[in-house]
Amino acid sequence: MMYPKEYIEFLVHFHSDRDYFECHEVLEDYWKSVDPSNKSSIWVGFILFAVSNYHHRRGNYSGAKRTLSKSISIFNANMNQLSMLGLDKEKFLEDLGLIHNNISKGSNYFSYNLPIIDQSLLSQCKNKCQNDGQKWCSASNLENEQIIHRHLLRDRSQVIKERLFALKNKNSNR
C-alpha cells in the first residue's frame, strides 16, 4: 500500500519529536490539496487529534477535550479509512475513548502511539525517523518549550498579513 508522504511525515512527528503543531501543519496542507472543503475528512480527524494532544500537553483540558471529541466523531464516521491507513481501527477508537475519559478527569498528558498494524507503513515511518535523526516512539520532552508552546513562539507576520488582505477585500466588496 502506498501512503501519502504527508501522512508518513505526520506519523513520524507524532511518534518521535511529538511536535503536534508540525503534525497539524503537514496534514493541513495535504488536506487542503486533496479534500479542502470536507470538514469531516479523515485528515481533519488526524489534525484535530494532534491539536488535542498539543492542548492536553499544555494543560488546556477544555481545548483538548473539545478537539478530541470532534476527532472521535470524524474517525467514527470514517472508520473503514482507518484500516486503509494501516491502523487497528478498533484499538484506536477504544484508545481515543480512554484518552477522552482521562482528559475529562484532568489526568496528565502522556505520549500516545497510534496502533499501526501495517508492517510496511511501520517500516517506512521508522526508516524516515532514523534518516531524520529521530527516535521512534520516544516520549514527549516536557522540557522543550519550543515544541510545547510553539504557537506562541512562531512568526505570525504572514498570517496577519493574509488576514488583513482578506479583510480589506471583504470590505471593498461591500
Side-chain angles (χ1 to χ4, degrees):
M1 168 84 182
M2 286 291 293
Y3 297 99
K5 69 176 179 44
E6 294 84 354
Y7 178 55
I8 292 170
E9 204 172 317
F10 168 89
L11 291 172
V12 168
H13 282 295
F14 195 93
H15 292 94
S16 63
D17 59 15
R18 305 289 176 173
D19 189 340
Y20 302 123
F21 192 91
E22 191 61 26
C23 288
H24 167 277
E25 295 291 299
V26 167
L27 272 191
E28 185 176 45
D29 287 344
Y30 179 70
W31 164 61
K32 286 180 176 179
S33 73
V34 296
D35 200 9
S37 59
N38 182 3
K39 302 265 191 219
S40 297
S41 168
I42 192 81
W43 305 118
V44 174
F46 285 112
I47 292 165
L48 290 170
F49 184 48
V51 170
S52 176
N53 278 274
Y54 183 83
H55 286 312
H56 190 193
R57 184 171 57 192
R58 296 185 72 247
N60 176 357
Y61 291 90
S62 65
K65 186 176 173 182
R66 185 177 59 255
T67 52
L68 182 58
S69 293
K70 289 178 187 175
S71 73
I72 290 171
S73 293
I74 291 170
F75 289 137
N76 278 317
N78 295 284
M79 204 179 301
N80 290 335
Q81 285 187 334
L82 291 172
S83 296
M84 291 169 39
L85 289 170
L87 301 179
D88 179 333
K89 66 182 177 189
E90 286 86 11
K91 177 160 181 25
F92 184 48
L93 293 170
E94 180 183 324
D95 289 351
L96 291 178
L98 295 172
I99 293 168
H100 191 273
N101 287 339
N102 286 337
I103 292 170
S104 297
K105 293 176 191 170
S107 298
N108 289 336
Y109 159 86
F110 66 92
S111 300
Y112 173 74
N113 299 317
L114 285 99
I116 300 171
I117 56 175
D118 180 334
Q119 293 307 306
S120 167
L121 174 61
L122 192 56
S123 180
Q124 289 176 63
C125 290
K126 286 181 176 181
N127 287 339
K128 177 158 180 33
C129 195
Q130 187 174 16
N131 290 340
D132 292 350
Q134 299 286 341
K135 185 173 181 268
W136 181 253
C137 289
S138 28
S140 185
N141 177 355
L142 300 176
E143 307 297 313
N144 187 338
E145 299 282 322
Q146 294 295 318
I147 288 181
I148 293 176
H149 302 295
R150 183 145 174 221
H151 78 286
L152 299 174
L153 305 172
R154 74 188 193 278
D155 176 11
R156 301 203 17 94
S157 56
Q158 187 61 33
V159 172
I160 293 167
K161 184 178 171 183
E162 288 172 12
R163 284 187 183 157
L164 289 173
F165 180 75
L167 183 62
K168 184 179 174 183
N169 282 344
K170 182 180 176 182
N171 288 336
S172 67
N173 289 335
R174 286 185 178 170

